[in-house]
Amino acid sequence: MANHKSSLKRIRQDKVKALHNKYYAKTMRNAVRKLRAMTNKEEAEALYPKVQKMLDKLAKTNIIHKNKAANLKSGLVAHINKLG
């Protein structure tokens, strides 16, 4: 167990940040999953900008890596283009 007041505070802060990051990462995964499950091209194109914005924000705040965000966006665009 930590002995210093500052390290106890850091532990408390890390718990809050971890919970925050976990929530947004899970929300992002669900949005990507929802977009990949779509079969209607118009609906997918309408949802894509929201998912793209979410991915960019999470990459900017280092919740996910910027290359992962780019990779996901690329895959989603390819999925949308395959839809008839």
Side-chain angles (χ1 to χ4, degrees):
M1 189 62 196
N3 294 321
H4 296 280
K5 280 180 82 174
S6 62
S7 56
L8 291 170
K9 181 178 179 180
R10 175 60 60 198
I11 290 168
R12 287 195 311 269
Q13 288 175 333
D14 287 346
K15 283 182 186 175
V16 171
K17 283 184 182 177
L19 189 64
H20 175 267
N21 292 347
K22 192 175 176 183
Y23 168 78
Y24 282 104
K26 184 66 174 176
T27 305
M28 177 269 304
R29 283 196 302 272
N30 286 338
V32 169
R33 203 173 290 133
K34 181 179 176 184
L35 190 73
R36 283 207 178 114
M38 287 187 167
T39 55
N40 187 349
K41 187 170 185 166
E42 288 77 28
E43 289 177 13
E45 285 175 338
L47 182 64
Y48 178 72
K50 293 175 185 154
V51 176
Q52 180 184 13
K53 184 178 179 181
M54 186 185 303
L55 289 168
D56 288 338
K57 279 187 176 181
L58 294 179
K60 182 180 176 185
T61 56
N62 290 322
I63 294 174
I64 61 172
H65 196 274
K66 63 177 184 164
N67 291 356
K68 180 179 176 75
N71 198 344
L72 285 170
K73 289 191 294 185
S74 171
L76 291 173
V77 168
H79 170 72
I80 291 170
N81 287 337
K82 271 195 266 181
L83 295 175

